[in-house]
Amino acid sequence: MNNPLVLCLGEILEDLLAEQSDRPLDRVTSWKAYTGGAPANVACASVKLGTPSAFIGRVGRDPVGDRSLKLLNRLGVNISAVQHDPIAPTRQVYVTRSSGGERHFAGFGALATTDFADTNLNAGDIPTSLFENARFLVTGTLGLAYPNSRGAIERAVSLAREHGVKIFLDINWRPVFWENPDSAPSIVREILQKADLVKCSDEEAEWLFGTDDPAEISRQFPNLRGILVTAGERGCRYRLGENGGTAAAFRVTTVDTTGAGDGFSAGFLHRCCQFGEEVFHSADIARKAVIYASAVGALVTIGPGAIDPQPSDRQVREFLRERGESIGKF
């Protein structure tokens, strides 16, 4: 893992998942902790699929941070760029869920959103060397909510552009992370101007772009070479280069939807690392990359937590074969 192809920058945290479904926060009686955070999830899913990855983030000097980093290290994620905050704790977030597995972010307990280590990610400590052989920088928008971590994202984006690394932005809109949610759209749109690919849900697309049509989003942001708009059980609409289409969702017995979108992102980037520019030039390869990504996302939902259920490449291929899908070589 000395030469990660996918760099994932942002938050790592512990999801405290309600063990009782269909209950409001004050009626949940027990919680189970799972390591999460979208960038960390993508890093883990990538290595499980066979694409080397690195995680760039900041944790507290506490058991939560220790547990999270031990998991990433055990899976083979490069954690050499992780920073340790001497005071602020690693973030924990309470997550309630419906009987169908849909989750709701219910806050941070007694702490404010600004009190956690990830908000203090230091731009100056991001190692340039990681960008020399990487192909993709993956980041979300949660870090844009805080001045220090926003500066770190901007620094990483600058390094990516200097080294020819494509920038993959996951919108991942979570108002609970923002002190002033109304300030978010203009900040997010500014970073979008520098991105190569964007992934969002249909609801996030409507919030940010006023449309969930990838072609219309492309007209608003012609710099974007790839646009992926997911819609849960309604599948994914996409535009990759000049090719667009829709991929149907795979039906599975869902236990927990946490991390499904991150699995989708990792699956798509795994195929991009295998096929390179062909993903943006070949309609067939583009469609198969989205189908593969959709399969990864579906498989993540069949178990609790974001990381434990993530599949291997072999499991994804078996899943697709059982459903009559052929995704070609590699």
Side-chain angles (χ1 to χ4, degrees):
M1 295 298 174
N2 292 328
N3 294 307
L5 299 181
V6 176
L7 310 179
C8 301
L9 182 147
E11 69 280 357
I12 188 169
L13 50 79
E14 226 170 42
D15 286 318
L16 299 175
L17 187 65
E19 294 193 296
Q20 298 79 39
S21 58
D22 285 328
R23 291 190 186 181
L25 181 67
D26 60 357
R27 291 189 56 217
V28 175
T29 57
S30 59
W31 308 82
K32 188 165 183 179
Y34 295 94
T35 297
N41 294 341
V42 175
C44 292
S46 294
V47 295
K48 287 188 178 186
L49 294 170
T51 294
S53 75
F55 173 71
I56 305 168
R58 190 176 179 97
V59 299
R61 296 188 182 278
D62 52 30
V64 176
D66 291 345
R67 284 194 297 269
S68 300
L69 294 184
K70 283 180 181 177
L71 173 60
L72 267 61
N73 189 55
R74 177 173 61 80
L75 292 175
V77 176
N78 183 320
I79 56 172
S80 63
V82 172
Q83 304 170 15
H84 292 83
D85 196 291
I87 300 173
T90 309
R91 188 182 296 268
Q92 291 180 299
V93 55
Y94 289 86
V95 184
T96 57
R97 60 192 178 92
S98 71
S99 57
E102 293 295 327
R103 76 261 193 243
H104 172 69
F105 291 89
F108 310 104
L111 297 178
T113 187
T114 54
D115 289 344
F116 295 97
D118 57 83
T119 70
N120 297 323
L121 185 62
N122 188 345
D125 290 335
I126 297 174
T128 302
S129 59
L130 279 179
F131 291 79
E132 292 172 357
N133 296 296
R135 298 188 189 175
F136 293 94
L137 169 68
V138 179
T139 190
T141 64
L142 302 189
L144 296 174
Y146 319 101
N148 287 343
S149 52
R150 186 188 312 166
I153 291 173
E154 291 169 350
R155 171 61 176 156
V157 166
S158 177
L159 286 170
R161 290 167 70 89
E162 288 174 18
H163 289 84
V165 177
K166 291 184 176 66
I167 298 160
F168 182 102
L169 183 66
D170 179 4
I171 298 303
N172 196 29
W173 172 233
R174 301 286 183 264
V176 69
F177 282 77
W178 291 74
E179 284 192 300
N180 179 15
D182 290 341
S183 70
S186 62
I187 295 172
V188 173
R189 291 174 74 91
E190 183 177 345
I191 207 81
L192 258 175
Q193 297 282 359
K194 301 174 183 178
D196 299 284
L197 302 104
V198 65
K199 189 221 103 185
C200 57
S201 70
D202 53 347
E203 292 179 349
E204 290 167 342
E206 289 286 357
W207 165 74
L208 188 59
F209 305 112
T211 177
D212 63 1
D213 180 358
E216 175 54 34
I217 295 171
S218 179
R219 282 189 281 273
Q220 293 183 32
F221 288 86
N223 55 293
L224 292 172
R225 299 187 66 201
I227 299 164
L228 303 160
V229 180
T230 59
E233 63 184 16
R234 296 189 301 281
C236 174
R237 300 173 71 185
Y238 64 91
R239 184 177 178 87
L240 298 168
E242 296 302 316
N243 301 303
T246 302
F250 293 101
R251 296 194 177 277
V252 295
T253 301
T254 297
V255 172
D256 176 18
T257 59
T258 303
D262 306 325
F264 178 98
S265 297
F268 177 77
L269 292 171
H270 176 66
R271 298 301 277 177
C272 285
C273 287
Q274 292 175 322
F275 285 101
E277 286 296 304
E278 286 301 304
V279 170
F280 304 102
H281 298 310
S282 165
D284 183 57
I285 289 175
R287 182 181 65 83
K288 288 176 177 176
V290 177
I291 289 171
Y292 184 96
S294 298
V296 178
L299 286 167
V300 170
T301 71
I302 65 177
I307 295 174
D308 286 349
Q310 291 171 344
S312 66
D313 177 68
R314 178 183 58 79
Q315 290 171 317
V316 178
R317 290 175 179 277
E318 288 177 356
F319 177 85
L320 289 167
R321 276 196 296 270
E322 289 170 358
R323 284 152 181 80
E325 292 284 356
S326 173
I327 57 166
K329 62 179 180 177
F330 298 111

